[in-house]
Amino acid sequence: MYGLVNKAIEQMVCKNHGVSTWEQIKTEAGVDTAGFISNEPYPDEVTYSLVAAASKTLGAPAEDILKAFGEHWVLHTALESYGPMMRATGNNLHDFLLRLPHLHTRVELIYPNLNPPQFACKKVGDTELELRYWTSRPPGLEPFVEGLIHGLGKMFDTPVRVELRQQRNEDNDYSVFHVSWAEVA
Ligand code: HEM
């Protein structure tokens, strides 16, 4: 994944646990890069190793690290560095999620070698929808998606519920989330 992703993990860990914990996590992961370069692609294993090492060092399940990282990605990385693109995607959670399938097409203009996730949305009701998620990467990124959606809920001040209804398996090449939220006054 592009260095931007690893850099965001670094920022989240340093902000919440300090630089020395980040150094410990890098050592545990066998990563000896002094700093990641945002627009340079790194092997996916670097990102997966950093998450596994953070889980071990912080004594928290990898799923919890990924959920927290999803929220951090939206509220810090995306909003602080790509605010106009985020705001152009939607004015509320409903519209944003409906346009999510097209977001990484725009991101590809900045990061041409992107291997983006794919999303599809099916409206179920006024305040609920089904989100399908495809990735060509190894399994285990669903908690990241859950965290991202919770981050979007916070971005729009809209409390949101996310339920993983179907995990990708041999029969289905995608995962399914049920997303529901409170009516905005
Ligand atoms: C403007 C905001 C955003 C930018 C710049 C961005 C950029 C990126 C980048 C660079 C990657 C790594 C992929 C690679 O290097 O091949 C990535 C992955 C990913 N992004 Fe985004 N992204 C944004 C917003 C979002 C949002 C709002 C979601 C919400 C669901 C999302 C979901 C994901 C997921 C799930 C992955 C993991 C890759 C995979 O599943 O295979 N992104 N994104």
Side-chain angles (χ1 to χ4, degrees), residues 2-22:
Y2 272 103
L4 174 71
V5 175
N6 302 325
K7 229 177 144 148
I9 297 179
E10 174 178 356
Q11 278 163 358
M12 177 181 78
V13 170
C14 289
K15 182 169 165 273
N16 297 334
H17 306 281
V19 179
S20 62
T21 304
W22 171 245

PDB file of all heavy atoms in Angstrom, residues 2-22:
ATOM      1  N   TYR A   2       0.308   2.320  -0.500  1.00  0.00           N
ATOM      2  CA  TYR A   2       1.053   3.574  -0.513  1.00  0.00           C
ATOM      3  C   TYR A   2       1.492   3.947   0.911  1.00  0.00           C
ATOM      4  O   TYR A   2       0.773   3.675   1.887  1.00  0.00           O
ATOM      5  CB  TYR A   2       0.190   4.688  -1.105  1.00  0.00           C
ATOM      6  CG  TYR A   2       0.298   4.776  -2.615  1.00  0.00           C
ATOM      7  CD1 TYR A   2      -0.687   4.282  -3.441  1.00  0.00           C
ATOM      8  CD2 TYR A   2       1.427   5.357  -3.196  1.00  0.00           C
ATOM      9  CE1 TYR A   2      -0.580   4.372  -4.825  1.00  0.00           C
ATOM     10  CE2 TYR A   2       1.535   5.453  -4.584  1.00  0.00           C
ATOM     11  CZ  TYR A   2       0.543   4.955  -5.389  1.00  0.00           C
ATOM     12  OH  TYR A   2       0.653   5.041  -6.759  1.00  0.00           O
ATOM     13  N   GLY A   3       2.653   4.604   0.998  1.00  0.00           N
ATOM     14  CA  GLY A   3       3.240   4.988   2.282  1.00  0.00           C
ATOM     15  C   GLY A   3       2.304   5.803   3.163  1.00  0.00           C
ATOM     16  O   GLY A   3       2.388   5.762   4.392  1.00  0.00           O
ATOM     17  N   LEU A   4       1.394   6.508   2.516  1.00  0.00           N
ATOM     18  CA  LEU A   4       0.388   7.303   3.217  1.00  0.00           C
ATOM     19  C   LEU A   4      -0.322   6.493   4.316  1.00  0.00           C
ATOM     20  O   LEU A   4      -0.588   7.000   5.403  1.00  0.00           O
ATOM     21  CB  LEU A   4      -0.642   7.743   2.165  1.00  0.00           C
ATOM     22  CG  LEU A   4      -1.886   8.468   2.582  1.00  0.00           C
ATOM     23  CD1 LEU A   4      -1.528   9.869   3.041  1.00  0.00           C
ATOM     24  CD2 LEU A   4      -2.860   8.556   1.397  1.00  0.00           C
ATOM     25  N   VAL A   5      -0.589   5.210   3.994  1.00  0.00           N
ATOM     26  CA  VAL A   5      -1.311   4.349   4.933  1.00  0.00           C
ATOM     27  C   VAL A   5      -0.419   4.043   6.150  1.00  0.00           C
ATOM     28  O   VAL A   5      -0.836   4.203   7.302  1.00  0.00           O
ATOM     29  CB  VAL A   5      -1.765   3.038   4.226  1.00  0.00           C
ATOM     30  CG1 VAL A   5      -2.397   2.073   5.201  1.00  0.00           C
ATOM     31  CG2 VAL A   5      -2.726   3.364   3.086  1.00  0.00           C
ATOM     32  N   ASN A   6       0.827   3.639   5.888  1.00  0.00           N
ATOM     33  CA  ASN A   6       1.743   3.322   6.999  1.00  0.00           C
ATOM     34  C   ASN A   6       2.043   4.568   7.828  1.00  0.00           C
ATOM     35  O   ASN A   6       2.182   4.515   9.046  1.00  0.00           O
ATOM     36  CB  ASN A   6       3.045   2.721   6.452  1.00  0.00           C
ATOM     37  CG  ASN A   6       2.776   1.470   5.632  1.00  0.00           C
ATOM     38  OD1 ASN A   6       1.864   0.703   5.945  1.00  0.00           O
ATOM     39  ND2 ASN A   6       3.548   1.268   4.574  1.00  0.00           N
ATOM     40  N   LYS A   7       2.148   5.690   7.144  1.00  0.00           N
ATOM     41  CA  LYS A   7       2.395   6.954   7.827  1.00  0.00           C
ATOM     42  C   LYS A   7       1.242   7.300   8.769  1.00  0.00           C
ATOM     43  O   LYS A   7       1.436   7.826   9.860  1.00  0.00           O
ATOM     44  CB  LYS A   7       2.498   8.059   6.757  1.00  0.00           C
ATOM     45  CG  LYS A   7       3.712   8.938   6.920  1.00  0.00           C
ATOM     46  CD  LYS A   7       3.754   9.923   5.789  1.00  0.00           C
ATOM     47  CE  LYS A   7       4.297  11.217   6.321  1.00  0.00           C
ATOM     48  NZ  LYS A   7       5.045  11.962   5.357  1.00  0.00           N
ATOM     49  N   ALA A   8       0.021   6.991   8.326  1.00  0.00           N
ATOM     50  CA  ALA A   8      -1.154   7.273   9.160  1.00  0.00           C
ATOM     51  C   ALA A   8      -1.163   6.372  10.392  1.00  0.00           C
ATOM     52  O   ALA A   8      -1.561   6.799  11.483  1.00  0.00           O
ATOM     53  CB  ALA A   8      -2.431   7.078   8.338  1.00  0.00           C
ATOM     54  N   ILE A   9      -0.710   5.111  10.238  1.00  0.00           N
ATOM     55  CA  ILE A   9      -0.617   4.221  11.411  1.00  0.00           C
ATOM     56  C   ILE A   9       0.386   4.825  12.390  1.00  0.00           C
ATOM     57  O   ILE A   9       0.151   4.900  13.601  1.00  0.00           O
ATOM     58  CB  ILE A   9      -0.183   2.783  10.987  1.00  0.00           C
ATOM     59  CG1 ILE A   9      -1.233   2.162  10.062  1.00  0.00           C
ATOM     60  CG2 ILE A   9       0.043   1.914  12.229  1.00  0.00           C
ATOM     61  CD1 ILE A   9      -0.899   0.756   9.573  1.00  0.00           C
ATOM     62  N   GLU A  10       1.520   5.285  11.845  1.00  0.00           N
ATOM     63  CA  GLU A  10       2.561   5.917  12.677  1.00  0.00           C
ATOM     64  C   GLU A  10       1.978   7.115  13.449  1.00  0.00           C
ATOM     65  O   GLU A  10       2.164   7.241  14.658  1.00  0.00           O
ATOM     66  CB  GLU A  10       3.714   6.380  11.775  1.00  0.00           C
ATOM     67  CG  GLU A  10       4.774   7.168  12.509  1.00  0.00           C
ATOM     68  CD  GLU A  10       5.936   7.586  11.602  1.00  0.00           C
ATOM     69  OE1 GLU A  10       5.946   7.191  10.410  1.00  0.00           O
ATOM     70  OE2 GLU A  10       6.820   8.295  12.090  1.00  0.00           O
ATOM     71  N   GLN A  11       1.229   7.972  12.742  1.00  0.00           N
ATOM     72  CA  GLN A  11       0.650   9.163  13.384  1.00  0.00           C
ATOM     73  C   GLN A  11      -0.302   8.776  14.505  1.00  0.00           C
ATOM     74  O   GLN A  11      -0.288   9.365  15.587  1.00  0.00           O
ATOM     75  CB  GLN A  11      -0.111  10.007  12.363  1.00  0.00           C
ATOM     76  CG  GLN A  11       0.787  10.918  11.557  1.00  0.00           C
ATOM     77  CD  GLN A  11       0.103  11.423  10.289  1.00  0.00           C
ATOM     78  OE1 GLN A  11      -1.038  11.059   9.992  1.00  0.00           O
ATOM     79  NE2 GLN A  11       0.806  12.248   9.540  1.00  0.00           N
ATOM     80  N   MET A  12      -1.143   7.761  14.236  1.00  0.00           N
ATOM     81  CA  MET A  12      -2.122   7.350  15.250  1.00  0.00           C
ATOM     82  C   MET A  12      -1.414   6.816  16.495  1.00  0.00           C
ATOM     83  O   MET A  12      -1.736   7.205  17.615  1.00  0.00           O
ATOM     84  CB  MET A  12      -3.051   6.277  14.671  1.00  0.00           C
ATOM     85  CG  MET A  12      -4.049   5.760  15.682  1.00  0.00           C
ATOM     86  SD  MET A  12      -5.131   4.474  15.027  1.00  0.00           S
ATOM     87  CE  MET A  12      -4.055   3.045  15.073  1.00  0.00           C
ATOM     88  N   VAL A  13      -0.394   5.945  16.288  1.00  0.00           N
ATOM     89  CA  VAL A  13       0.315   5.364  17.439  1.00  0.00           C
ATOM     90  C   VAL A  13       1.057   6.454  18.206  1.00  0.00           C
ATOM     91  O   VAL A  13       0.995   6.519  19.439  1.00  0.00           O
ATOM     92  CB  VAL A  13       1.295   4.248  16.961  1.00  0.00           C
ATOM     93  CG1 VAL A  13       2.204   3.812  18.094  1.00  0.00           C
ATOM     94  CG2 VAL A  13       0.522   3.060  16.411  1.00  0.00           C
ATOM     95  N   CYS A  14       1.755   7.342  17.486  1.00  0.00           N
ATOM     96  CA  CYS A  14       2.540   8.399  18.162  1.00  0.00           C
ATOM     97  C   CYS A  14       1.616   9.323  18.951  1.00  0.00           C
ATOM     98  O   CYS A  14       1.926   9.709  20.076  1.00  0.00           O
ATOM     99  CB  CYS A  14       3.363   9.201  17.156  1.00  0.00           C
ATOM    100  SG  CYS A  14       4.730   8.240  16.497  1.00  0.00           S
ATOM    101  N   LYS A  15       0.458   9.643  18.375  1.00  0.00           N
ATOM    102  CA  LYS A  15      -0.491  10.546  19.041  1.00  0.00           C
ATOM    103  C   LYS A  15      -1.037   9.910  20.317  1.00  0.00           C
ATOM    104  O   LYS A  15      -1.139  10.553  21.355  1.00  0.00           O
ATOM    105  CB  LYS A  15      -1.642  10.838  18.062  1.00  0.00           C
ATOM    106  CG  LYS A  15      -2.701  11.783  18.548  1.00  0.00           C
ATOM    107  CD  LYS A  15      -3.606  12.159  17.360  1.00  0.00           C
ATOM    108  CE  LYS A  15      -4.882  12.794  17.814  1.00  0.00           C
ATOM    109  NZ  LYS A  15      -5.962  11.857  18.117  1.00  0.00           N
ATOM    110  N   ASN A  16      -1.368   8.617  20.241  1.00  0.00           N
ATOM    111  CA  ASN A  16      -2.024   7.969  21.389  1.00  0.00           C
ATOM    112  C   ASN A  16      -1.062   7.308  22.375  1.00  0.00           C
ATOM    113  O   ASN A  16      -1.407   7.140  23.536  1.00  0.00           O
ATOM    114  CB  ASN A  16      -3.028   6.910  20.902  1.00  0.00           C
ATOM    115  CG  ASN A  16      -4.147   7.539  20.090  1.00  0.00           C
ATOM    116  OD1 ASN A  16      -4.468   8.712  20.261  1.00  0.00           O
ATOM    117  ND2 ASN A  16      -4.733   6.774  19.181  1.00  0.00           N
ATOM    118  N   HIS A  17       0.133   6.916  21.916  1.00  0.00           N
ATOM    119  CA  HIS A  17       1.018   6.134  22.794  1.00  0.00           C
ATOM    120  C   HIS A  17       2.448   6.645  22.839  1.00  0.00           C
ATOM    121  O   HIS A  17       3.256   6.131  23.596  1.00  0.00           O
ATOM    122  CB  HIS A  17       1.026   4.660  22.355  1.00  0.00           C
ATOM    123  CG  HIS A  17      -0.336   4.055  22.273  1.00  0.00           C
ATOM    124  ND1 HIS A  17      -1.027   3.616  23.376  1.00  0.00           N
ATOM    125  CD2 HIS A  17      -1.168   3.859  21.219  1.00  0.00           C
ATOM    126  CE1 HIS A  17      -2.219   3.166  22.996  1.00  0.00           C
ATOM    127  NE2 HIS A  17      -2.322   3.300  21.695  1.00  0.00           N
ATOM    128  N   GLY A  18       2.792   7.602  22.017  1.00  0.00           N
ATOM    129  CA  GLY A  18       4.142   8.184  22.053  1.00  0.00           C
ATOM    130  C   GLY A  18       5.106   7.550  21.069  1.00  0.00           C
ATOM    131  O   GLY A  18       4.884   6.435  20.576  1.00  0.00           O
ATOM    132  N   VAL A  19       6.202   8.279  20.817  1.00  0.00           N
ATOM    133  CA  VAL A  19       7.175   7.876  19.789  1.00  0.00           C
ATOM    134  C   VAL A  19       7.908   6.595  20.172  1.00  0.00           C
ATOM    135  O   VAL A  19       8.189   5.746  19.321  1.00  0.00           O
ATOM    136  CB  VAL A  19       8.204   9.020  19.555  1.00  0.00           C
ATOM    137  CG1 VAL A  19       9.236   8.621  18.517  1.00  0.00           C
ATOM    138  CG2 VAL A  19       7.497  10.293  19.122  1.00  0.00           C
ATOM    139  N   SER A  20       8.208   6.406  21.475  1.00  0.00           N
ATOM    140  CA  SER A  20       9.001   5.230  21.847  1.00  0.00           C
ATOM    141  C   SER A  20       8.186   3.949  21.608  1.00  0.00           C
ATOM    142  O   SER A  20       8.750   2.921  21.208  1.00  0.00           O
ATOM    143  CB  SER A  20       9.515   5.330  23.281  1.00  0.00           C
ATOM    144  OG  SER A  20       8.441   5.390  24.157  1.00  0.00           O
ATOM    145  N   THR A  21       6.864   4.007  21.823  1.00  0.00           N
ATOM    146  CA  THR A  21       6.021   2.826  21.545  1.00  0.00           C
ATOM    147  C   THR A  21       6.033   2.540  20.039  1.00  0.00           C
ATOM    148  O   THR A  21       6.095   1.386  19.613  1.00  0.00           O
ATOM    149  CB  THR A  21       4.560   3.074  22.020  1.00  0.00           C
ATOM    150  OG1 THR A  21       4.609   3.420  23.390  1.00  0.00           O
ATOM    151  CG2 THR A  21       3.682   1.860  21.813  1.00  0.00           C
ATOM    152  N   TRP A  22       6.008   3.595  19.226  1.00  0.00           N
ATOM    153  CA  TRP A  22       6.063   3.409  17.768  1.00  0.00           C
ATOM    154  C   TRP A  22       7.383   2.741  17.359  1.00  0.00           C
ATOM    155  O   TRP A  22       7.393   1.827  16.517  1.00  0.00           O
ATOM    156  CB  TRP A  22       5.880   4.747  17.053  1.00  0.00           C
ATOM    157  CG  TRP A  22       6.143   4.651  15.570  1.00  0.00           C
ATOM    158  CD1 TRP A  22       7.141   5.260  14.863  1.00  0.00           C
ATOM    159  CD2 TRP A  22       5.400   3.867  14.620  1.00  0.00           C
ATOM    160  NE1 TRP A  22       7.073   4.922  13.541  1.00  0.00           N
ATOM    161  CE2 TRP A  22       6.011   4.061  13.364  1.00  0.00           C
ATOM    162  CE3 TRP A  22       4.289   3.030  14.722  1.00  0.00           C
ATOM    163  CZ2 TRP A  22       5.535   3.433  12.207  1.00  0.00           C
ATOM    164  CZ3 TRP A  22       3.831   2.398  13.560  1.00  0.00           C
ATOM    165  CH2 TRP A  22       4.452   2.612  12.325  1.00  0.00           C
TER     166      TRP A  22
END
